[in-house]
Amino acid sequence: MARLREFDYEQVLDGALQLFWRGGYEATSLDGLLSEVGLSKSSFYGAFGSKHDMLLASLDRYIETVLQANIDDLRRGSPRAAIIRSFEKILGFQPTSKTCFLQVCAIERGGHDQLVRMRVRRGLELLEEAYRDAIVRGQEAGQFAADADARVLSTFLVANLYGLQVLGRANMAGDARKKSLATIMKALA
Amino acid sequence: MARLREFDYEQVLDGALQLFWRGGYEATSLDGLLSEVGLSKSSFYGAFGSKHDMLLASLDRYIETVLQANIDDLRRGSPRAAIIRSFEKILGFQPTSKTCFLQVCAIERGGHDQLVRMRVRRGLELLEEAYRDAIVRGQEAGQFAADADARVLSTFLVANLYGLQVLGRANMAGDARKKSLATIMKALA
DNA sequence: CAAATTATGGACCATTCGGTCCATAATAGC
DNA sequence: GCTATTATGGACCGAATGGTCCATAATTTG
């Protein structure tokens, strides 16, 4: 019934996500974004609505791809090993590396952008639930203290995960940062 | 030998800090900032150099006032009580409240702005040292495990402090967040 | 093939961006 | 009071901002 779009919607969305992720929302110009992904303004506004709409779509996309992959990985193998694996991934990041996109959005826009805040919270909750599952399974397997509140421990893990990313972003205390994983795991047992 | 400036340098700097703190660097326009603090462009460029220079000055100012006050408070009273106090301050924050300015700068600019990253790291190190002092004093007083590496524990505390701020920014898990303080303190003992 | 519908390229828009410049005002030392 | 020096207000700048509009191209349905 009409002309077909010539670009791949998800491919463009992934490109936008990368740019917002690296540079943040405000610092990423629409013109720059469009030339990067090779899209005209008409096509962009026709398909995505606005820059802010695209941020929200990028955030959703991040949750259902990148974050979901991390969540899936938390279900693989021994709960204890999976948790350690998830932290080692973060700890191996280079100084100026990207932090989780949820964190970028939470800090840049969480204070005044309710639509962003709702999505960030949903993403964090999904991650927290995945950690909680891992902890419960670990408790059942005798890896962690069975009398502890799994909800509190999973929130504790998420907080540590994001806190370590902040320290990493500032290139701070690389050695102590890596050693803190032992402290974190000890708190579970 | 020349005309005197009519504005208070530190007062303007504090005003700029508040705006960068709330809104971030990119989203804070220079014109808006100047009208907010009531300063002309000439005076601004004469005294501060550029928007970016003012960000750096704001960051320095933050460290030597706000952060330093937090550090000073860590030295008051029982080490254990002081640490708990510092976390309760963060945990009492409202959903959309400000997070530490160091974190705002680390996330928005830490990835590509070396001058900012250096300052953020210095601030985080000062805070980490203050926690380390508190832990050492607590160890000497028998409040914490004496055989633990104070450096690792203090880094662990800083990570938790910033991680909890991220969760707070997203208005996530208020109850579990507050309960996690017990888990954190347990890791010290 | 015709009509209806959607996609595309790019010109165009007002506004805002950070920053410069200059004429004028105010102050200190002589 | 004169001179040197700095501060101030505001006009001005080119570039960039997010967003709109329209003529044209491509496609499906009838």
Side-chain angles (χ1 to χ4, degrees):
Chain A
M1 204 179 184
R3 183 174 175 174
L4 310 157
R5 67 169 44 133
E6 295 173 4
F7 65 92
D8 183 328
Y9 182 92
E10 294 195 333
Q11 187 176 319
V12 166
L13 196 50
D14 283 333
L17 167 58
Q18 294 299 327
L19 294 175
F20 285 141
W21 196 351
R22 250 182 274 272
Y25 177 71
E26 292 284 349
T28 300
S29 83
L30 191 55
D31 286 333
L33 190 158
L34 294 179
S35 70
E36 193 82 14
V37 301
L39 196 62
S40 79
K41 254 180 181 173
S42 311
S43 301
F44 170 77
Y45 278 99
F48 296 99
S50 73
K51 188 191 179 189
H52 187 255
D53 284 344
M54 178 163 242
L55 175 70
L56 299 179
S58 302
L59 201 33
D60 289 335
R61 176 86 175 152
Y62 176 83
I63 290 171
E64 69 188 22
T65 58
V66 181
L67 189 73
Q68 191 58 50
N70 290 334
I71 287 173
D72 291 343
D73 192 61
L74 272 174
R75 312 190 89 88
R76 273 192 277 278
S78 140
R80 182 184 181 84
I83 291 171
I84 290 173
R85 206 186 317 136
S86 69
F87 274 84
E88 282 174 342
K89 206 165 159 186
I90 295 288
L91 289 166
F93 281 174
Q94 297 298 332
T96 60
S97 80
K98 294 189 286 194
T99 63
C100 173
F101 188 50
L102 296 181
Q103 183 162 22
V104 174
C105 290
I107 299 303
E108 184 179 358
R109 304 197 59 79
H112 56 278
D113 187 330
Q114 201 189 348
L115 295 173
V116 164
R117 186 165 60 243
M118 280 168 37
R119 283 166 171 78
V120 169
R121 187 172 72 187
R122 183 175 148 260
L124 292 177
E125 281 171 353
L126 289 172
L127 189 60
E128 182 268 323
E129 285 161 18
Y131 273 115
R132 202 192 318 164
D133 279 357
I135 288 170
V136 169
R137 284 183 292 117
Q139 285 174 324
E140 289 165 355
Q143 292 181 329
F144 308 130
D147 62 332
D149 185 337
R151 179 80 191 268
V152 172
L153 291 184
S154 60
T155 303
F156 166 81
L157 287 180
V158 173
N160 274 276
L161 195 72
Y162 284 92
L164 286 173
Q165 289 179 66
V166 177
L167 306 199
R169 187 81 154 193
N171 197 17
M172 182 214 170
D175 195 54
R177 227 165 72 228
K178 277 163 191 155
K179 285 184 184 163
S180 70
L181 180 51
T183 304
I184 295 168
M185 295 309 294
K186 222 181 79 181
L188 303 187
Chain B
M1 204 184 184
R3 182 174 175 174
L4 310 157
R5 67 167 46 132
E6 295 171 5
F7 65 93
D8 183 326
Y9 182 92
E10 294 195 334
Q11 187 175 319
V12 166
L13 195 51
D14 282 333
L17 167 57
Q18 293 299 327
L19 293 175
F20 285 142
W21 195 351
R22 250 182 273 275
Y25 178 71
E26 292 283 351
T28 300
S29 83
L30 191 56
D31 287 332
L33 190 159
L34 294 179
S35 70
E36 194 83 13
V37 301
L39 196 63
S40 79
K41 257 183 177 170
S42 309
S43 301
F44 169 77
Y45 278 99
F48 296 99
S50 72
K51 188 190 178 189
H52 187 254
D53 284 344
M54 177 163 243
L55 175 70
L56 298 178
S58 303
L59 201 34
D60 290 335
R61 176 84 174 152
Y62 176 84
I63 290 171
E64 70 189 20
T65 58
V66 181
L67 189 74
Q68 191 58 50
N70 290 334
I71 286 172
D72 290 344
D73 192 62
L74 273 174
R75 312 189 89 89
R76 274 190 276 278
S78 140
R80 181 184 181 82
I83 291 171
I84 290 174
R85 206 187 316 133
S86 70
F87 273 84
E88 281 173 342
K89 206 166 161 185
I90 295 287
L91 290 165
F93 282 175
Q94 297 298 331
T96 59
S97 80
K98 294 190 283 195
T99 62
C100 173
F101 188 49
L102 296 181
Q103 180 161 13
V104 174
C105 290
I107 299 301
E108 184 179 359
R109 305 198 58 81
H112 56 279
D113 186 331
Q114 199 188 351
L115 294 172
V116 164
R117 185 166 59 242
M118 280 168 39
R119 284 166 169 80
V120 169
R121 188 172 73 186
R122 184 175 147 260
L124 292 177
E125 281 169 355
L126 290 171
L127 189 59
E128 182 268 322
E129 285 161 18
Y131 274 116
R132 205 195 315 166
D133 278 357
I135 287 171
V136 169
R137 285 183 292 117
Q139 285 174 326
E140 289 164 355
Q143 293 180 330
F144 307 133
D147 62 332
D149 183 339
R151 178 82 191 268
V152 172
L153 291 183
S154 60
T155 303
F156 166 82
L157 286 181
V158 174
N160 274 275
L161 195 72
Y162 284 91
L164 286 172
Q165 290 179 64
V166 176
L167 306 200
R169 187 80 154 192
N171 195 18
M172 185 212 167
D175 194 55
R177 225 167 71 228
K178 278 164 190 153
K179 285 184 183 163
S180 70
L181 179 51
T183 304
I184 295 168
M185 295 309 294
K186 222 181 77 182
L188 302 188

